[in-house]
Amino acid sequence: WDNSRAASGAEHLMAHLVEMHPPRFENAEGIHGECVGVGTFAAVREYKRLRKLSPKAKPFEPLTSEWVMEKFGERLYDGIMKENANDVLATFDPRNIVDNWDRICAIIDEIPEPEELEALYKACSCKYLPEHIGIDPSLGEEALDISAAIRNRLTLIRMKRVLDFGE
């Protein structure tokens, strides 16, 4: 109870992505809470999209040096590689997700629909789209996957690396 780590998932990592300014995200800016809001909206949309699919387990593959260099650049490379050296996915059995997908979908069903969340954001004049914080809209979906490598935490976005959704 001494920290908020358990409440810090994919949505929070979007804020770190903005703060780090990796390649293609150099123009991203916003206060931490705004970026978390954008991350929350992106994560909810992704969870609702995944909820319609049926995952299969696939073998763990560590992040490659090439991927990290491409996504984070030379300036951030060492830190990201160090953070992912003992990747939590290496000790995780993705069949746990597959075997419990119905239960996970039930939790996803409790999350407000993106349209409902969007109306709330608009009513509060909150930022919720990538372009609201200087991220090219074409990078919106990729931003979640990239940000999942920033902290070695077991989030559903990170777990997509060991799941095959047949796409």
Side-chain angles (χ1 to χ4, degrees), residues 10 16 22 34 36-37 39 42 46 48 59 67 83 85 93 96 117 123 134 137 140 142 147 150 153 158 162 166:
H16 292 308
E34 291 173 334
V36 171
E46 180 65 357
K48 295 294 185 171
W67 186 88
E83 179 69 25
D93 185 350
N96 288 330
L117 195 56
E142 187 180 9
S147 67
I150 293 172
R153 295 188 181 154
R158 187 181 190 95
V162 293

Side-chain angles (χ1 to χ4, degrees), residues 40-133:
T40 298
F41 189 70
V44 166
R45 287 178 26 181
E46 180 65 357
Y47 298 153
K48 295 294 185 171
R49 186 186 74 78
L50 294 175
R51 194 256 177 265
K52 298 173 185 172
L53 305 173
S54 298
K56 294 182 179 150
K58 68 180 185 182
F60 166 74
E61 293 181 20
L63 295 176
T64 65
S65 306
E66 296 79 17
W67 186 88
V68 172
M69 184 61 79
E70 175 191 338
K71 304 302 181 190
F72 290 96
E74 188 173 338
R75 179 177 58 85
L76 300 170
Y77 175 84
D78 289 339
I80 296 297
M81 290 302 289
K82 182 178 179 184
E83 179 69 25
N84 290 280
N86 295 309
D87 196 320
V88 65
L89 290 179
T91 61
F92 176 77
D93 185 350
R95 290 178 305 203
N96 288 330
I97 293 294
V98 174
D99 293 346
N100 290 287
W101 190 243
D102 289 342
R103 292 173 65 195
I104 292 166
C105 287
I107 294 168
I108 292 171
D109 288 343
E110 294 179 22
I111 298 170
E113 292 299 319
E115 298 78 15
E116 183 181 347
L117 195 56
E118 181 178 20
L120 179 62
Y121 275 74
K122 285 180 176 179
C124 297
S125 299
C126 294
K127 297 178 179 185
Y128 64 97
L129 296 174
E131 55 266 32
H132 294 166
I133 56 171

Side-chain angles (χ1 to χ4, degrees), residues 1-8 153:
W1 302 101
D2 293 334
N3 64 61
S4 64
R5 188 173 193 167
S8 171
R153 295 188 181 154

